[in-house]
Amino acid sequence: MAFSVTRNPNPRSDAEREAIIADPSFGTAFTDHMVKIDYVDGAWGEGRVLPYGPLTLDPAATVFHYGQEIFEGLKAYLHPDGSIATFRAPANGARFARSAERMGMAQLPVDLFVESLQALVSVDRAWVPSAPDTSLYLRPFMIATQVGLGVNAPSNSYSYLVIASPAGPYFKSGIKPVKVWLSTEYTRAAPGGTGEAKCGGNYAASFVAQQYATAQGCDQVVWLDAAEHRWVEEMGGMNLYFVYGSGPSARIVTPALTGSLLPGITRDSLLTIAGDLGYSAEEGKISTDEWRAGAESGELTEVFACGTAAGITPVGWAKGATGEFTIGDGTPGPITLQLREQLTGIQTGKLPDPHGWVSKIA
Ligand code: PLP
């Protein structure tokens, strides 16, 4: 689809943009444009690049009442050759379509999803930062716009949008291990629910647990299974990895996709990258008791979280209702750092891309 472009008549000045790019804080400043495609009468309309700005919506639009909303998150990186590239954008497009299906929403074709990113990044190219560990964070999302309070059927009209925000290193003071709270008070998702969809409601329901974790002196929540609060699922916005042993014989395990955790694209990529680096990498089942026993015996040497926003983040300590324990010596482990190096090297074009994950978009 060819996208029409309406230029922002009042874009930020070069100096304002440079100041934002020089010190971006995550998701607070946005580029001069956005993409919008409306779905009406069973069909997607024209793709438009518009000036970034507020939306006008009827107060009775479905999204406000029943939370029919989905989103994605991915990054565009400036490569050494001056091009701009995304990492596995079609995988985000496919996940967006699966989220739409789960939420009874219209599905955007994956090609159109990828084209929409290209359209926005081409127009807002000057917003892609160039310093190490920076990128342009892309946030595609879709809302239900049908007017009416009837609750028996999904909306028949939708708006798909993409906005973009320059992103700096997630941790300004360098890579810093986090302390996580093993949440037995709250449940993020249950079998048959919406846990594997990237829908706004999953996050709305998690804020109170994040507040609880913070009150316990922790940085993040670890969600456990809904039935027994025993099996590790994921974190608030990242998946988890467990490293047993060390050196070339290390075994790397991530919780299997049970339907109630988000199938992270970073998680999936790391299963492959860990294999490429010669480690045995697998999906499995890890209980909080095993986590604690492994950390205490030293068999479990490293734990890290992974996701688009923060990349790979070491987990130094875990705390729950029965107390706190340290993983390794609480500092980032060598395999965590090696995987991080390899992943970011591929994403930023500094290392070869043997799996064809990187695509130039501008
Ligand atoms: N888990 C949750 C709940 C998330 O919101 C995210 C971020 O999208 C992830 C895991 C990591 O997914 P990805 O690697 O695709 O960013």
Side-chain angles (χ1 to χ4, degrees):
M1 177 189 286
F3 281 66
S4 68
V5 177
T6 307
R7 293 257 162 201
N8 190 329
N10 300 303
R12 244 73 59 88
S13 68
D14 289 353
E16 279 176 296
R17 189 185 63 241
E18 289 307 327
I20 292 170
I21 287 178
D23 188 21
S25 54
F26 185 77
T28 53
F30 297 90
T31 65
D32 290 319
H33 297 88
M34 62 186 187
V35 157
K36 188 163 189 274
I37 315 177
D38 294 325
Y39 179 90
V40 188
D41 294 333
W44 290 101
E46 183 198 19
R48 291 177 293 161
V49 177
L50 299 170
Y52 182 93
L55 305 175
T56 300
L57 287 170
D58 193 290
T62 307
V63 64
F64 294 135
H65 304 275
Y66 308 128
Q68 224 191 344
E69 189 268 358
I70 57 170
F71 67 99
E72 269 303 324
L74 70 165
K75 286 176 169 174
Y77 305 86
L78 183 64
H79 276 205
D81 66 1
S83 64
I84 295 164
T86 48
F87 179 72
R88 304 193 67 186
N92 288 92
R95 187 170 67 186
F96 195 64
R98 291 197 304 274
S99 297
E101 186 181 17
R102 176 62 183 85
M103 301 303 287
M105 300 172 84
Q107 289 182 42
L108 186 80
V110 172
D111 288 352
L112 188 50
F113 177 94
V114 174
E115 283 171 37
S116 73
L117 309 178
Q118 277 163 346
L120 182 59
V121 174
S122 305
V123 173
D124 278 338
R125 192 191 166 94
W127 284 89
V128 182
S130 59
D133 291 334
T134 61
S135 57
L136 185 67
Y137 182 79
L138 303 171
R139 169 50 64 87
F141 64 104
M142 197 200 309
I143 54 173
T145 54
Q146 184 176 342
V147 175
L149 302 184
V151 78
N152 295 328
S155 172
N156 60 14
S157 60
Y158 298 93
S159 287
Y160 165 76
L161 294 105
V162 189
I163 55 175
S165 174
Y170 205 80
F171 300 106
K172 291 213 164 126
S173 52
I175 179 162
K176 187 174 143 285
V178 293
K179 185 194 280 194
V180 297
W181 176 254
L182 308 175
S183 180
T184 43
E185 315 70 37
Y186 296 102
T187 298
R188 177 182 179 274
T194 59
E196 65 185 346
K198 205 161 164 58
C199 60
N202 287 345
Y203 298 80
S206 73
F207 295 144
V208 66
Q210 180 60 40
Q211 284 174 330
Y212 191 85
T214 306
Q216 307 305 316
C218 294
D219 304 291
Q220 295 268 332
V221 181
V222 169
W223 294 106
L224 306 174
D225 72 292
E228 299 179 79
H229 280 136
R230 179 166 166 233
W231 302 104
V232 176
E233 298 232 300
E234 61 172 330
M235 299 212 321
M238 303 178 94
N239 293 109
L240 279 163
Y241 265 91
F242 294 76
V243 180
Y244 294 90
S246 57
S249 61
R251 193 167 61 87
I252 304 180
V253 185
T254 188
L257 299 176
T258 55
S260 48
L261 61 149
L262 194 85
I265 288 153
T266 319
R267 170 193 180 279
D268 183 69
S269 308
L270 288 172
L271 277 172
T272 303
I273 290 175
D276 291 349
L277 294 173
Y279 298 113
S280 120
E282 63 201 58
E283 300 175 274
K285 240 180 143 181
I286 298 127
S287 72
T288 49
D289 289 343
E290 284 161 4
W291 184 348
R292 183 179 196 131
E296 286 173 354
S297 72
E299 191 200 344
L300 175 69
T301 47
E302 304 177 32
V303 176
F304 63 87
C306 64
T308 298
I312 292 184
T313 304
V315 176
W317 308 269
K319 186 176 174 188
T322 56
E324 180 174 334
F325 53 93
T326 305
I327 297 112
D329 60 3
T331 61
I335 292 177
T336 303
L337 296 177
Q338 186 190 13
L339 289 169
R340 186 173 188 265
E341 201 64 27
Q342 190 70 19
L343 175 71
T344 54
I346 297 172
Q347 289 170 331
T348 55
K350 292 182 186 116
L351 288 178
D353 169 30
H355 304 288
W357 285 336
V358 166
S359 23
K360 310 263 169 177
I361 61 163

